[in-house]
Amino acid sequence: MAARLLLTRRLVQLLIGLFLYGIAIALMVRAGIGLSPWDVLAQGLSLKTGIPFGFVTNLVGLVVLAFWIPLRQRPGLGTVLNVLLVGPSAQLGLDLLPQQTELWAQVLFFVAGLALLAVATGLYIGPRLGPGPRDGLMTGLHARTGRPIWMVRTAIEVTVLIVGWVLGGNVGIGTLAFALLVGPLCSVTLPFFAIRLPQDAATTAARLESELEGTAEQSAGLEDEQDAVRFDVRDGILLESDRAAHDRFARADSPFVQGPQPDRAPRTPRTPDASRPSRIVAAHWLDDRITRRPRHP
């Protein structure tokens, strides 16, 4: 019974978070002073095609999710619901909210949208039912190519931003404010809304848990992370400061440094017991440090 109640709570929190995330996007769109890179792309595509913004958001999410296939990642329940629900809730917000033209109202709408987005991010990531499609793409490319997560993330988002701007998406002071402020805001909301799960053994419930979460990397580690003082977040991805990453590497008992990662082993034949230590990764999702268990299938 307790397990069912916990799962119900996680699902309800996930749905509320995704709904509020769409409303937050709508607030920032109606502010008209700049959007996040992915929303700039969705807005540009909407302007060029005439397709409603919310539906374009769904289509972009589906295209990004399709890139998971060659990366050999399986989406979790939260990933699928992210693709399906954020777009309609954003479109609902756009239908209800008027476009703002006065500067004070634009700033008010943008600030409200950014604050709501930070809360929504904590709500939908906290249940740990799968990352957003964009985050899975970034961490998947990082895992398969070996490129630093910051490099992969920057390359993707700069490309998305440029394409969206060329298509007519709104790039402005709000875009810069989003990049600077969303990380610190989400570093507060993520641990606040995180749901800590019991350390279950390999039972039927644990297998169901694995099916719901998918196989995309999810870690972050905000538990006892006093040294990770700077974060940068987009749909839940957290980039630790260089000092925090260095300190983590110095810990002999760190599961990220010492833990083997069979899925990153070279494809060349090796002995059965051969494994390669984990690369030093300065990007972690919300659950590995909380559950203290490997995330590999």
Side-chain angles (χ1 to χ4, degrees), residues 135 190 193 264 277:
D135 293 325
L190 282 167
F193 291 108
R264 296 185 188 176

Side-chain angles (χ1 to χ4, degrees), residues 105-117:
Q106 290 178 300
V107 172
L108 180 63
F109 263 53
F110 184 86
V111 170
L114 184 59
L116 183 60
L117 184 138

Side-chain angles (χ1 to χ4, degrees), residues 188-230:
V188 175
T189 61
L190 282 167
F192 184 82
F193 291 108
I195 297 178
R196 299 177 182 246
L197 304 182
Q199 303 273 344
D200 291 333
T203 62
T204 302
R207 288 192 294 271
L208 174 61
E209 181 78 15
S210 178
E211 290 296 320
L212 292 175
E213 293 181 13
T215 59
E217 288 188 27
Q218 289 186 335
S219 58
L222 298 177
E223 182 184 44
D224 298 327
E225 279 297 304
Q226 298 300 323
D227 56 344
V229 294
R230 291 190 291 117

Side-chain angles (χ1 to χ4, degrees), residues 276-291:
R276 185 169 57 184
S278 168
R279 293 192 180 108
I280 305 172
V281 180
H284 306 282
W285 293 85
L286 189 57
D287 41 334
D288 286 68
R289 289 298 303 278
I290 295 176
T291 60

Side-chain angles (χ1 to χ4, degrees), residues 28 60 108 129 136 149 152 181 188 222 233 266 269-270 279 290:
M28 290 188 287
V60 171
L108 180 63
L129 290 172
I149 192 71
V152 175
L181 298 177
V188 175
L222 298 177
V233 183
R270 302 183 67 174
R279 293 192 180 108
I290 295 176

